[in-house]
Amino acid sequence: TNKLLGETTPVAACGLRGNQLQVRQIRISQIDRKDKRFQFRLTADHNELLDSIRRNGQVVPITLWDRQPYVVIDGFRRLEALRALGRETVSAVVREDLDENGAFIASFVENVQRRNLSAVDRAHAIRLMLRKRRLSVESIARELQISLRQVQRYLQLLELEPALINAVDTGR
């Protein structure tokens, strides 16, 4: 069954080096909005993004994992903003080439590249990789292309008192 609702446009995006992907128009109803396994951000203000999409439309496609229903890899806030604006479709790149661990890594890398994740969000993502993905600290460092020491620093951040973690997260 063809799930495309409109034209496709080639893009080099979503963590692929040199590969071409297609941006598709996907019905929001075909996306599992409750599946948050790739969401790392703990807090998010949607108002600024909502205003931006209202003014400019969706500029950056979301990234979906090719499952039925689709699973969001990257773009949770964009998806919710579009839904809040009453849109029925979303521009998306559908990743058919990833397993679950690959999707998890792609999500983390895309957010870090855009600098969307705070240090606390990064720390939580790394802890998720340790606990739920059962990856070693060494393999996390290798996959995320950061030093072993940096992975350890992120994990140590989560050992601080909650008030200190909040201060780091809010920049106070």
Side-chain angles (χ1 to χ4, degrees):
T1 316
N2 186 350
K3 295 180 180 77
L4 301 182
L5 299 174
E7 296 290 318
T8 59
T9 308
V11 293
C14 307
L16 287 184
R17 294 172 186 93
N19 291 347
Q20 291 282 317
L21 296 174
Q22 301 292 319
V23 175
R24 306 174 186 180
Q25 292 299 308
I26 304 291
R27 290 191 184 280
I28 291 175
S29 62
Q30 294 178 306
I31 301 169
D32 184 353
R33 295 182 15 253
K34 293 179 184 170
D35 190 332
K36 308 280 188 191
R37 75 181 95 174
F38 304 119
Q39 186 172 27
F40 307 126
R41 186 187 307 263
L42 298 177
T43 58
D45 178 15
H46 294 235
N47 292 330
E48 188 175 316
L49 180 60
L50 196 80
D51 291 341
S52 173
I53 291 175
R54 187 180 290 120
R55 283 190 315 272
N56 305 311
Q58 181 187 356
V59 176
V60 178
I62 69 170
T63 306
L64 299 173
W65 192 25
D66 190 25
R67 297 292 179 267
Q68 295 304 316
Y70 293 106
V71 176
V72 178
I73 294 174
D74 181 60
F76 291 92
R77 292 174 54 234
R78 280 170 275 159
L79 176 62
E80 290 308 314
L82 288 161
R83 192 183 68 75
L85 291 170
R87 307 286 167 79
E88 294 183 13
T89 63
V90 59
S91 296
V93 173
V94 178
R95 295 294 301 264
E96 301 168 1
D97 60 324
L98 300 173
D99 62 9
E100 189 167 355
N101 278 333
F104 192 88
I105 298 296
S107 175
F108 185 88
V109 168
E110 288 181 29
N111 277 284
V112 169
Q113 285 176 346
R114 282 195 319 273
R115 295 193 173 117
N116 274 356
L117 293 179
S118 71
V120 174
D121 290 335
R122 291 178 193 198
H124 281 285
I126 289 169
R127 185 168 62 185
L128 272 174
M129 294 173 85
L130 279 171
R131 291 184 179 171
K132 294 199 177 188
R133 308 278 173 240
R134 295 189 173 99
L135 298 174
S136 69
V137 174
E138 293 80 8
S139 65
I140 292 170
R142 187 173 46 257
E143 290 287 340
L144 300 180
Q145 300 179 352
I146 60 177
S147 71
L148 180 60
R149 182 69 188 124
Q150 187 61 45
V151 171
Q152 292 166 338
R153 281 187 201 116
Y154 281 127
L155 293 171
Q156 288 170 346
L157 173 62
L158 297 178
E159 295 172 9
L160 296 174
E161 294 293 322
L164 288 174
I165 293 173
N166 186 47
V168 169
D169 198 37
T170 59
R172 293 183 213 166

